[in-house]
Amino acid sequence: MADDLGDEWWENQPAGAASSPASDGEGGGDTAMMQQETAPVPALSKKTEQPKECFLIQPKETNEDATKTRKRKKKKITDVLAKSEPKPGTPEDLQKLMKDYYSSNRSVIELEELTLPDFCFLKANDLTHSLSSYLKEICPKWVKLRKNHSENKSVLMLIICGSAIRALELIRSMTAFKGDSKVMKLFAKHIKVQEQVKLLEKRVVHLGVGTPGRIKELIKQGGLNLNPLKFLVFDWNWRDQKLRRMMDIPEIRKEVFEILEMGVLSLCKSESLKLGLF
């Protein structure tokens, strides 16, 4: 017993038992502090902030950019038309327009019948002529022709343009060419169709200037006979305030092609009528 009491009591304790109290106290504190330091609070806040920025900002920028792009395209089209150099119309332009217009509802054979040979066309305006100088070039024997013309309900020369105002401008600009020729305005704003039919029945008219809508109606109602017609001139190259040519307007283009099929194409192929592009 004395020997047992003399021994140092801590020497007989196991190594793990001596160190466990200290390690339990200090280790538990360190673990709690590490858990607090590594808590994912900042990471969660970052994840919730990022989608807010994306979803709120991106759609606004996309809509504004698309609107600006559409506005720019409209301005560019106008700028191109305004700055583009004018090109004179050619017979090939008329032929191509006719094929494009009828390609959806005509067969290949019918489209070939619409094609006009080269002898049907007069020399086109190269943009250097006034109307009087152009008409003098394509019809140098006009004085003799008009003296021999005595048929009612007909004209020797027909000029088709896009509007009534343009028709008045053309009539004023042909003074040097027409001389004593009788000219009739063929558009809808100043006189009714029935009244104009009566005038054509009573008078001898050499020159007719007007819009395709009124001319088509006169032909339909028998007020205008195309057989004596020798020259059909289109006001092809002139552009309005919107930079559109006569044949760029769908309604006018449709009416012009209807007139061509009302006897003009057959007269051209028989070489009694010539087409000109002014």
Side-chain angles (χ1 to χ4, degrees):
M1 295 292 294
D3 291 337
D4 293 335
L5 292 172
D7 293 338
E8 297 293 336
W9 64 270
W10 58 80
E11 292 179 358
N12 296 325
Q13 298 290 330
S19 59
S20 61
S23 62
D24 289 340
E26 294 176 1
D30 293 341
T31 303
M33 291 176 65
M34 289 176 66
Q35 288 177 352
Q36 292 177 356
E37 290 176 358
T38 59
V41 175
L44 288 172
S45 64
K46 289 181 180 178
K47 288 181 180 178
T48 54
E49 288 175 1
Q50 287 179 355
K52 287 182 180 179
E53 294 179 358
C54 295
F55 286 108
L56 289 175
I57 295 173
Q58 284 184 355
K60 290 182 179 180
E61 292 179 354
T62 304
N63 292 335
E64 291 176 0
D65 292 342
T67 305
K68 289 179 181 178
T69 304
R70 284 195 294 268
K71 289 181 179 178
R72 288 195 196 101
K73 284 182 180 178
K74 289 180 181 177
K75 291 180 181 179
K76 285 181 180 178
I77 291 171
T78 307
D79 292 340
V80 168
L81 288 172
K83 294 179 181 179
S84 60
E85 294 183 1
K87 295 181 180 179
T90 61
E92 290 76 16
D93 295 336
L94 176 60
Q95 303 267 40
K96 185 178 183 303
L97 281 177
M98 289 183 65
K99 286 185 178 180
D100 292 343
Y101 181 80
Y102 290 112
S103 59
S104 60
N105 54 10
R106 299 290 176 93
S107 65
V108 177
I109 298 174
E110 288 173 330
L111 289 174
E112 289 179 357
E113 291 176 354
L114 295 174
T115 304
L116 292 171
D118 293 338
F119 62 76
C120 296
F121 292 94
L122 298 162
K123 183 179 179 181
N125 180 22
D126 58 0
L127 304 182
T128 61
H129 285 283
S130 65
L131 181 58
S132 287
S133 64
Y134 176 69
L135 296 179
K136 285 180 180 179
E137 181 175 339
I138 63 173
C139 184
K141 298 181 180 180
W142 173 250
V143 176
K144 183 178 179 180
L145 278 174
R146 69 176 176 80
K147 284 182 178 179
N148 295 331
H149 178 65
S150 59
E151 294 185 39
N152 298 335
K153 300 170 60 175
S154 64
V155 293
L156 287 173
M157 181 179 290
L158 191 59
I159 300 175
I160 300 179
C161 58
S163 67
I165 295 175
R166 178 59 179 167
L168 295 175
E169 292 176 357
L170 291 173
I171 291 172
R172 287 193 294 265
S173 64
M174 66 168 65
T175 305
F177 170 77
K178 68 184 182 68
D180 297 332
S181 303
K182 302 299 181 182
V183 181
M184 182 171 285
K185 298 175 283 189
L186 305 177
F187 51 81
K189 290 189 176 181
H190 74 299
I191 188 172
K192 294 180 179 179
V193 180
Q194 294 79 8
E195 295 177 6
Q196 200 155 48
V197 170
K198 292 178 181 179
L199 289 175
L200 287 167
E201 289 175 351
K202 295 176 181 179
R203 299 179 184 177
V204 174
V205 181
H206 305 103
L207 270 163
V209 184
T211 56
R214 172 51 62 92
I215 293 169
K216 184 184 73 172
E217 286 300 317
L218 289 172
I219 297 171
K220 276 185 178 181
Q221 297 191 22
L224 185 61
N225 180 17
L226 294 178
N227 289 328
L229 185 65
K230 300 300 179 185
F231 302 95
L232 177 59
V233 179
F234 297 104
D235 185 30
W236 191 275
N237 298 298
W238 183 80
R239 293 180 183 269
D240 61 11
Q241 292 180 350
K242 296 181 180 179
L243 302 178
R244 299 175 303 178
R245 297 174 303 175
M246 177 182 74
M247 298 298 284
D248 293 331
I249 302 171
E251 297 82 6
I252 294 178
R253 184 168 62 244
K254 177 177 178 293
E255 290 170 340
V256 167
F257 291 149
E258 289 175 353
I259 291 173
L260 292 179
E261 288 198 286
M262 294 173 77
V264 172
L265 294 178
S266 58
L267 289 172
C268 289
K269 291 178 181 179
S270 66
E271 300 188 39
S272 64
L273 174 61
K274 303 291 183 181
L275 301 180
L277 305 179
F278 172 65

